[in-house]
């Protein structure tokens, strides 16, 4: 019985040697691959050959690499620009240097066409395609797992914040301001997304703080404050096992450090404090100052600006503070 996956796999053979090209085409067809296209591997035609496939996407390219010819390397480079899937380099004289150079260009595997025979070709193609399918599945699962974690944590943050009506939108607001400051600092879109998540979960560790301390409207006693100060490390310990969120941990753990080293939990100072943690610390304080709490009214705009100026270089990273001040003044 012919494997359905083979029937539906689009395979391109790119090879300048006609006999080699014909051999691969026949062997693949015999093995059940019915969607095989074979062409010479001239650089000028690579783009056309790849885009001619169904939806512009093939499942595998067998590329006849002749390491002695510059043109062959040029074709391989162009292929990598046009094609994201697995490339199996066929041909001869694939010594270790050739393999290293080809691997850097994204070649997944190598096959000596002179020696492999039809069965060897079939086996190698099956192996490369299966490995690629597994890798794709793992990646999809990773992003689904990550999405699931994020959704669960978001719900938990909402539950946490719902205990105190004054902090209901705090984490979202800190995420918004963190992203705005991060953008001024020149972070990439990916970094801004991750920073936003870290900011959203910055107080996640409060889940481990007793309600009577969390909900207390009067000033905390020294003992209570010692307990409260544990929330960044509680978050770190709770989230440490969630591998897809690992890059967020330094920011969450250190969001109460101060530029002058008098923060907690590690008394980190200046640029020893992770950048995202410095950003979140600033956004967190700004949001707390400018919104109502059970123990205080929102500060006036002038007072907020004054506090930021005053704490620039002591509590907060001075450069980041300047970014926030600029944002606030531009949006006055
Ligand atoms: Fe906090």
């Amino acid at each position: 019985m012919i494997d359905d996956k083979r029937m539906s796999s689009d395979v391109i053979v790119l090879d300048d040697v006609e006999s080699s090209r014909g051999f691969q085409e026949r062997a693949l067809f015999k093995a059940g691959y019915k969607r095989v296209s074979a062409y010479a591997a001239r650089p000028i035609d690579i783009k056309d050959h790849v885009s001619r496939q169904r939806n512009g996407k093939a499942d595998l390219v067998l590329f006849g690499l002749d390491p002695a010819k510059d043109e062959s390397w040029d074709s391989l480079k162009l292929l990598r620009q046009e094609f994201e899937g697995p490339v199996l380099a066929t041909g001869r004289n694939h010594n270790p240097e050739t393999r290293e150079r080809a691997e850097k260009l994204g070649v997944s595997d190598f096959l000596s066409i002179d020696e492999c025979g039809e069965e060897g070709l079939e086996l190698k193609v099956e192996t490369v395609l299966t490995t690629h399918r597994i890798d794709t599945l793992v990646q999809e699962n990773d992003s689904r797992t990550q999405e699931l974690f994020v959704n669960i944590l978001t719900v938990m943050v909402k539950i946490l914040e719902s205990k105190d009506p004054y902090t209901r939108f705090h984490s979202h607001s800190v995420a918004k301001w963190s992203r705005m400051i991060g953008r001024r600092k020149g972070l990439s879109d990916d970094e801004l997304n991750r920073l936003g998540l870290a900011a959203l979960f910055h107080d996640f560790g409060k889940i481990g703080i007793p309600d009577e301390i969390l909900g207390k409207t009067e000033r905390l006693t020294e003992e209570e404050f010692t307990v409260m100060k544990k929330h960044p490390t509680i978050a770190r310990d709770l989230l440490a096992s969630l591998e897809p969120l690992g890059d967020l941990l330094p920011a969450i753990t250190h969001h109460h450090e101060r530029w002058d080293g008098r923060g907690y939990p590690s008394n980190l100072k200046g640029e020893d404090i992770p950048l995202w943690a410095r950003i979140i610390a600033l956004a967190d304080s700004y949001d707390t100052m400018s919104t109502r709490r059970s123990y205080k009214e929102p500060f006036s705009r002038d007072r907020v600006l004054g506090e930021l100026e005053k704490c620039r270089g002591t509590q907060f990273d001075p450069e980041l503070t300047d970014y926030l001040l600029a944002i606030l003044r531009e949006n006055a």
Side-chain angles (χ1 to χ4, degrees):
M1 196 181 102
I2 293 173
D3 185 336
D4 270 359
K5 285 206 173 74
R6 292 189 184 186
M7 295 273 284
S8 60
S9 293
D10 280 298
V11 180
I12 306 177
V13 176
L14 295 175
D15 202 314
D16 284 335
V17 183
E18 201 178 335
S19 58
S20 170
R21 204 162 65 224
F23 161 73
Q24 293 173 67
E25 202 175 6
R26 280 192 306 278
L28 288 167
F29 197 77
K30 237 166 108 180
Y33 294 92
K34 302 299 180 198
R35 310 169 68 104
V36 180
S37 320
Y39 312 101
R42 296 194 315 155
I44 196 166
D45 298 324
I46 294 289
K47 191 173 179 178
D48 278 355
H49 294 332
V50 175
S51 62
R52 202 173 292 150
Q53 295 301 307
R54 184 172 45 123
N55 305 325
K57 279 189 178 177
D59 295 292
L60 170 69
V61 172
L62 280 75
F63 182 83
L65 175 63
D66 185 343
K69 284 189 182 161
D70 286 345
E71 196 180 56
S72 192
W73 289 105
D74 290 343
S75 291
L76 181 57
K77 273 185 215 154
L78 286 166
L79 175 63
R80 288 315 331 186
Q81 286 167 18
E82 301 299 328
F83 177 65
E84 289 177 1
V87 173
L88 172 59
T90 57
R92 51 193 74 81
N93 298 329
H94 291 164
N95 59 30
E97 291 83 54
T98 300
R99 285 174 178 247
E100 194 184 330
R101 188 174 168 192
E103 276 167 0
K104 278 187 187 151
L105 290 170
V107 166
S108 313
D109 214 331
F110 299 84
L111 181 70
S112 173
I113 284 292
D114 291 345
E115 297 157 16
C116 66
E118 290 185 355
E119 278 185 17
L121 176 71
E122 180 184 348
L123 186 66
K124 184 64 93 175
V125 165
E126 181 68 24
T127 308
V128 173
L129 276 171
T130 306
T131 308
H132 183 66
R133 282 188 200 113
I134 292 171
D135 284 350
T136 309
L137 273 177
V138 168
Q139 276 171 19
E140 281 173 2
N141 262 330
D142 268 1
S143 56
R144 270 186 225 147
T145 309
Q146 171 141 210
E147 202 179 307
L148 184 66
F149 283 151
V150 167
N151 289 343
I152 292 172
L153 292 182
T154 306
V155 170
M156 289 173 91
V157 167
K158 274 188 189 156
I159 294 170
L160 184 69
E161 291 186 344
S162 70
K163 290 181 180 179
D164 178 353
Y166 294 103
T167 60
R168 189 159 293 163
F169 303 108
H170 174 63
S171 297
H172 280 92
S173 184
V174 174
K176 182 186 84 178
W177 288 104
S178 294
R179 288 176 59 100
M180 286 169 81
I181 299 163
R183 195 178 297 281
R184 291 274 163 140
K185 175 70 181 164
L187 300 187
S188 68
D189 284 348
D190 268 358
E191 289 170 320
L192 289 176
N193 287 337
R194 304 302 289 171
L195 166 65
L197 279 184
L200 196 59
F201 304 140
H202 75 282
D203 270 345
F204 183 76
K206 286 187 178 171
I207 217 140
I209 304 294
D211 281 357
E212 53 274 22
I213 296 181
L214 268 189
K216 193 171 174 190
T217 50
E218 307 89 57
R219 198 181 172 82
L220 296 181
T221 65
E222 204 169 315
E223 261 178 8
E224 289 166 336
F225 191 51
T226 305
V227 175
M228 184 63 131
K229 282 182 5 184
K230 288 183 180 160
H231 75 271
T233 45
I234 291 174
R236 181 195 61 200
D237 296 344
L238 287 173
L239 301 178
S241 59
L242 304 183
E243 207 261 325
L245 303 180
D247 60 324
L248 312 183
L249 290 188
I252 295 173
T253 308
H254 296 292
H255 76 272
H256 281 292
E257 305 288 356
R258 289 173 49 116
W259 184 254
D260 58 12
R262 291 173 50 232
Y264 63 90
S266 307
N267 300 116
L268 295 182
K269 196 172 178 180
E271 291 187 352
D272 286 345
I273 306 166
L275 172 64
W276 295 2
R278 280 180 266 150
I279 294 175
I280 294 170
L282 180 59
D284 186 16
S285 296
Y286 168 72
D287 186 66
T288 302
M289 285 191 277
S290 53
T291 51
R292 182 173 283 109
R293 288 291 183 274
S294 58
Y295 53 88
K296 72 160 192 63
E297 287 300 306
F299 288 4
S300 69
R301 179 186 151 77
D302 282 350
R303 186 169 170 199
V304 171
L305 294 178
E307 287 292 327
L308 288 172
E309 300 270 15
K310 198 175 86 186
C311 301
R312 180 190 179 283
T314 53
Q315 186 173 350
F316 307 128
D317 177 329
E319 181 194 354
L320 298 175
T321 313
D322 289 343
Y323 294 146
L324 178 58
L325 285 166
I327 294 167
L328 295 172
R329 287 184 176 125
E330 282 163 22
N331 292 294

